[in-house]
Amino acid sequence: MPVTTTVITGATSGIGRETAIALAKKDHSLYLLVRDTAKGEALKHEIILATKNKNIYVVPCDLADLDSVRNAADILKSSLLSINVLINNAGGIFAERQESKNGFEMTFAVNHLGHFLLVQCLLPLLEKGQARIINVSSEAHRMAKPNFNDLQWTKRPYSAWKAYGTAKLFNIYFTRSLAIKYGPKGINAFALHPGLVNTGFGTGLTGIGKLLMALARPFMISAETGAQTTIYLALATRIDAKSGKYFKNREVVSASTAATNQVGRDRLWDLSLGLVEPYLN
């Protein structure tokens, strides 16, 4: 039986970690794209010990640094003939406006643009592997009111939650664009909400954001439970017809009205392609 080659970002904690362990148990050959390679190596050895699956590899990748993303893709292209599953799991929320190494607003960079570049760089391998691309979004996308004239939050007061919600809406836009553009080439794409998961998410928030997270914590689910929809999408058979859809609790659900906006979706694609173009060569 052919080995399934899976690439996952943000695997060293939370639902990414649980996803990686579950897929290793299913004998996937895993490539862990991580910012902290020491944590990545520790997870690698933990997975090997727990699952006896030795096909676990660590690749340095900082999604806030587009040069790092491109270098990670180059490593994968030099090591692999194809990729069967790509899980864009990493993300984050930032209390104050920060800029990435490349000068982009950090929420936009980490949650969207880094993954956008990663996919663009890996397209030949994804096509060869007839891949599934799984984008971890959030119900926070429902609060989004994207301003394409101020993606970097320089012209208006920064809001951590609005920036995060917009980035999660962009995950859904990205998913639908991938399904439409690359479905004919055998690539399928899915977006999902993992649930309100009790991880380190939001620990840097202050003020009302910190209070809201504290109030929500007793109602949060475990990382293992939160990973179940991602795991389902990586393993399920006969779901190609649902490519481009948004999932919650392993089922297709309706995203927000804004998520169906084709003009916004196409504009995001064009803007993103222009921003990453210098890193594609």
Side-chain angles (χ1 to χ4, degrees):
M1 183 176 180
V3 173
T4 300
T5 299
T6 296
V7 175
I8 179 171
T9 67
T12 55
S13 63
I15 63 174
R17 178 181 178 277
E18 297 299 332
T19 300
I21 293 171
L23 297 181
K25 290 178 179 177
K26 296 293 185 179
D27 296 321
H28 283 219
S29 179
L30 288 181
Y31 288 78
L32 313 176
L33 271 56
V34 300
R35 183 179 56 184
D36 187 327
T37 53
K39 286 185 178 179
E41 290 292 341
L43 176 62
K44 168 185 171 179
H45 293 299
E46 178 186 346
I47 291 175
I48 291 173
L49 186 63
T51 68
K52 311 305 179 187
N53 181 346
K54 296 182 179 179
N55 295 316
I56 314 297
Y57 308 93
V58 175
V59 178
C61 182
D62 182 353
L63 289 163
D65 179 353
L66 297 182
D67 288 305
S68 175
V69 174
R70 184 187 60 194
N71 290 339
D74 287 343
I75 291 171
L76 292 172
K77 286 190 285 187
S78 68
S79 306
L80 299 171
L81 295 176
S82 64
I83 295 172
N84 305 115
V85 180
L86 170 61
I87 303 174
N88 292 321
N89 166 79
I93 187 170
F94 303 89
E96 305 293 335
R97 186 186 182 278
Q98 302 178 38
E99 287 191 357
S100 71
K101 182 178 178 180
N102 313 106
F104 301 113
E105 190 277 314
M106 191 68 81
T107 317
F108 175 74
V110 171
N111 291 277
H112 169 66
L113 200 60
H115 286 129
F116 184 91
L117 175 60
L118 182 64
V119 170
Q120 295 301 316
C121 291
L122 294 178
L123 275 173
L125 297 184
L126 294 166
E127 288 181 17
K128 288 179 183 176
Q130 300 289 279
R132 291 181 186 180
I133 300 173
I134 300 167
N135 296 317
V136 178
S137 180
S138 168
E139 284 288 87
H141 84 273
R142 297 185 187 278
M143 71 177 73
K145 294 181 179 179
N147 182 343
F148 286 100
N149 295 315
D150 189 24
L151 287 178
Q152 308 308 324
W153 290 84
T154 58
K155 302 175 183 177
R156 54 189 161 145
Y158 175 79
S159 165
W161 279 108
K162 288 180 181 178
Y164 180 73
T166 299
K168 295 292 104 178
L169 174 65
F170 288 172
N171 294 156
I172 297 175
Y173 280 171
F174 185 36
T175 299
R176 293 188 172 174
S177 291
L178 288 170
I180 292 167
K181 293 176 183 295
Y182 297 106
K185 296 183 179 181
I187 294 175
N188 293 298
F190 308 90
L192 70 105
H193 169 62
L196 191 56
V197 183
N198 191 5
T199 64
F201 176 83
T203 52
L205 292 175
T206 58
I208 188 66
K210 183 177 181 180
L211 175 61
L212 290 173
M213 291 299 291
L215 292 172
R217 192 149 282 116
F219 305 97
M220 291 180 177
I221 60 177
S222 69
E224 183 178 6
T225 301
Q228 293 308 305
T229 300
T230 306
I231 295 166
Y232 165 77
L233 289 171
L235 298 176
T237 58
R238 297 187 294 276
I239 62 168
D240 292 359
K242 299 176 182 178
S243 182
K245 301 297 186 181
Y246 175 64
F247 284 73
K248 180 180 176 181
N249 295 325
R250 300 192 293 182
E251 294 182 351
V252 174
V253 297
S254 296
S256 68
T257 301
T260 65
N261 185 329
Q262 182 179 342
V263 173
R265 187 179 74 223
D266 291 344
R267 191 169 184 189
L268 175 68
W269 183 276
D270 292 340
L271 286 169
S272 300
L273 199 57
L275 292 173
V276 304
E277 195 275 335
Y279 304 91
L280 291 173
N281 300 321

